[in-house]
Amino acid sequence: MSDILKMFTTVIKSLFKKSTCRQYPFKKPVFFDRTKGHIQIDRERCILCSLCDKRCPTGAINVDRNARTWAINSYKCILCFRCVEVCPVTCLAMQQQYSAPEEIKKSEVVEIPAKAEKAKA
Amino acid sequence: MAKRTIVPFGPQHPVLPEPIHLDLVLEDEMVVDVLPSVGFIHRGLELLCQKKSFQDMVFVAERICGICSFIHGVGYCQGIEKVMNLDIPKRAQFLRVFWGELSRVHSHLLWLGLAADAIGFESLFMHSWRVREKVLAIFEETTGGRVIFGAAKVGGVRIDISQDKLDQLAIALDEIQKEYEPLAKVFLEDYTVQHRWSEVGYLSKEDAHQLGAVGPTARASGLPQDMRKLRYGAYEDLEVEPIVETAGDCYARCVVRVKEIYQSLDLMRRVIHKIPAGEIETKVTGFPQGEYFSRVEQPRGEVVYYVKGNGTKFLDRFRVRTPTFANIPPLLQMLKGCTLADVPAIVLSIDPCISCTER
Amino acid sequence: MNAWIWGIVGILLTPVVAGLVGGIDRVITAKMQGRMGPPVLQPFYDVMKLFSKQNLVLNRFHHDLVICSLIFTVAAVGLLFAGENLLMCIFALVVGNVFLVLAAYSTNSPYSMLGADRELLQMLAAEPMILLAAVGIYMATGTFDINLIASGTHSAIQYLPGVFFGLIYVLTIKLRKSPFDLSTSHHAHQELVKGLSTEFAGPSLALFEIIHWYETVFVMALIYLFFASRPIVGIVAVLIVYFLEILIDNINARVKWDLMLASAWVITLIFGLGNLMLLFILK
Amino acid sequence: MSIKKSPWIIHYDGSSCNGCDIEVLACLTPLYDIERFGIINVGNPKHADILLITGGVNQQNKTVIKNLYDQMAEPKAVVAIGACACTGHFFAECYNMLGGVDTVIPVDVFVPGCAARPEVIIDGVVKALAVLEKKQQEKVTA
């Protein structure tokens, strides 16, 4: 008879306990230090070496030296960390906040200021 | 003769979230024949080895399957390391075992939940997955990813865990075990669960051997087959005894997995206790030349990786034989003569991972 | 005249009460599973949404059969509240159920057909006990007339504990809850997808939900009749029984149909018939 | 008016690696519990309002995805979850792959990530609700 009541205690306990629900989006999501969210670039430090472009396994990063832009397509990015590892000036970093869903796929384009402007700044 | 009905099972079916198609030929509710058709998930990722460098292939190998992602990565890396004669630091090997065993706990808890769900035990499903979230929290805390975390690397691991963190994790493991215990009891002793699983989907020891079953499916039929006995990596220093049941039915397969969670938790504690200090990776120079078969134990059973390098940064051949692939012939054997209500229980009892199988 | 008003009030109030009960049921179930659960009014949102969706009608009879089923089920509840003959109410409910099965059979989907098969099996398992309950109430109170049962001076429960237990046992079948939710269930994960209701979409599915509301109220009213002389005890008993059903739902897996049929009949025979025979001998 | 309060989902696993797949299931479980928004995973295209697809499209499953989409009653929305379903990332180079889900059926919301986290899946579904409501209003006015 007691065989059919094995789940009884667990069920009754959780009925009276507060739910473990994280209540997203009403409460802020829980992140850890190492949580992988999205890649962010420090545009002041980037030297447009395009190593990240070459090493990205999915081709999500696009560096255009002539137009001085660095673009990432977050719909291709697999958060593998590779670009952060290869960046010679460590201008790329992993941020905890994940990129948001959108109705159209578009790349996020960052303009890299020229050296002269950097010096001025 | 009763009227025959053909019930299409999959590729989209609430019981099995993964796309495999089984045509179940029924007489009333009795299954008389099963015709599988596959390929809904085939991506052809093995051929990617000719387009991605052997170091980038780790990311591809990890995306063979999202559930046992890390072990896939490790299996591939081991193959390459053997080809290139690399010596992996002890700490990296222990970390690989740690995440590997954690993946096993995560995968088995996931399976327990899904299996409970397939027999209509909603609350057990929810509670299993509640415990599983604690495992995922450890993954996220140590590597940054919840299910696919890319910690494996040719030559070692990419991320280290500090000693303080490891000590904290030991406490977290105890907590997981404490929360898991009442659920394990339900799986092992509950009346309705036994009604659905015991003497269902029987696979004899001979059949298991002849049809080439692997992993918990084989172990539940009495075959003590566990690749960790090959003592690859850090298993050299960690003794593992395969958990064997002899009943050969769905319930025995469940028992094997329930007990393996305890075993894995215990292994992780030993890893934390024994882990040496030191480097976590060796420098990789040159390109792989030669071939190797690497065999590792996944939550679902033995997986074989074949890598063949030709001295350039692209591999010649990369081939994976996954446990579910090996377990499909036994599955078809088990399904014959069962009733329709047993089909979900039996299909899930081999813990099918179709994305591994078809890649 | 009075009976008519009661009947219409019953018909109108049933969706409101049953929807609320359904919502509370979902919250309690979610709590038991360690979750938060939807808002209490969720069943109403669901049904309103379903009415606003496109209706995918498969053949000429499909939607009409569901409407027939609704009419008979509503009639059953109406008659019950109007205080008519108990046996007639039960038969109206069964006819309503049969129309639902016919609607499922009229489609060509194997899931729907197998679901209909199982629904018939469920009726085979549950109906004997419900009929025995009616007979038991007759033996205890001396009438099938609901008006007279409700205004009687003593409750049927003191003569019929066995029948009452048997009724609780088969109630999981009528409420479509584990362990006996074989033909269709509120959760998706089962081998027949949604079984009986697989092929209903939009408004048809909304009607299906409403039929289920009426059925729920019907069986709850049946439970109440056992305590008819003391209304407050009756209502408390109904609430306790419903909570018990939620609990049973959450601590059991779904069983196979052979076990359902065997156990339901054994319980019906031992507790139902045994109780009635004792009553017959002692009275 | 109330489609926003009771969106039922159906989940199809295209050629994904199970990573996003189990994260969609994780949304149903205690920690994330999307039933708070009245969302039920119905597993039946005829009942569902939102189609969640994880994984890209290959030659074999493109008809399956099309069928599923056609079987759903209007109004309906499609959410592509994970990098595979959005673009196919490196699997787009494979010989058997067609690419993202938008190569076969119209997609309303793209959810990034590999694997997409439950939080971002919830965000994506909430975004799809707005799309659904707009579609319903269009249906009423048309």
Side-chain angles (χ1 to χ4, degrees), chain B residues 8 14 29 117 119 123 196, chain C residues 32 111 118 189 250 254 256:
Chain B
E29 287 220 359
D117 200 25
I119 58 169
S123 54
R196 290 302 300 267
Chain C
M32 281 178 172
Y111 294 123
R118 287 187 178 182
H189 289 245
N250 273 303
R254 180 182 305 120
K256 285 186 265 185

Side-chain angles (χ1 to χ4, degrees), chain D residues 65-125:
Chain D
I65 292 176
K66 247 191 144 74
N67 276 348
L68 276 178
Y69 184 73
D70 291 342
Q71 278 178 23
M72 287 166 67
E74 295 282 350
K76 54 194 169 189
V78 180
V79 182
I81 291 173
C84 293
C86 293
T87 57
H89 63 83
F90 50 51
F91 295 132
E93 297 170 42
C94 293
Y95 59 86
N96 200 29
M97 296 287 288
L98 298 175
V101 179
D102 51 345
T103 52
V104 192
I105 50 171
V107 175
D108 296 301
V109 180
F110 294 94
V111 177
C114 182
R117 294 170 59 89
E119 282 104 347
V120 69
I121 294 174
I122 293 175
D123 280 350
V125 171

Side-chain angles (χ1 to χ4, degrees), chain B residues 6-9 13-15 26 29 117 119-123 126-127 190 192 195-196 200 339-342 344, chain C residues 32-35 110-111 113-114 118 178-179 187-193 250-257 259:
Chain B
I6 295 180
V7 174
F9 190 82
H13 197 283
V15 166
L26 299 185
E29 287 220 359
D117 200 25
I119 58 169
F121 209 145
E122 272 265 305
S123 54
M126 293 295 179
H127 284 287
D190 188 81
T192 45
H195 162 74
R196 290 302 300 267
V200 168
T339 60
L340 179 64
D342 292 333
Chain C
M32 281 178 172
Q33 296 172 351
R35 295 185 286 126
Y111 294 123
M113 304 264 262
L114 282 165
R118 287 187 178 182
S178 286
H187 337 120
H189 289 245
Q190 64 159 311
E191 64 274 13
L192 289 183
V193 190
N250 273 303
I251 61 172
N252 277 302
R254 180 182 305 120
V255 300
K256 285 186 265 185
W257 68 266
L259 183 77

Side-chain angles (χ1 to χ4, degrees), chain B residues 88-133:
Chain B
I88 308 305
K90 263 270 166 328
R91 187 173 178 86
Q93 286 182 349
F94 270 87
L95 282 173
R96 281 180 180 184
V97 169
F98 181 80
W99 281 315
E101 293 302 321
L102 203 55
S103 294
R104 200 180 309 278
V105 173
H106 143 67
S107 170
H108 281 348
L109 277 171
L110 176 126
W111 178 83
L112 287 172
L114 286 181
D117 200 25
I119 58 169
F121 209 145
E122 272 265 305
S123 54
L124 198 51
F125 162 63
M126 293 295 179
H127 284 287
S128 302
W129 281 53
R130 177 175 56 85
V131 179
R132 176 181 161 268
E133 287 288 341

Side-chain angles (χ1 to χ4, degrees), chain B residues 26 38 40 159 186 206 215 226 261-262 285 325:
Chain B
L26 299 185
V38 293
F40 295 99
I159 311 158
V186 178
E206 289 73 39
D226 191 328
I261 292 182
Y262 285 120
T285 47
F325 181 76

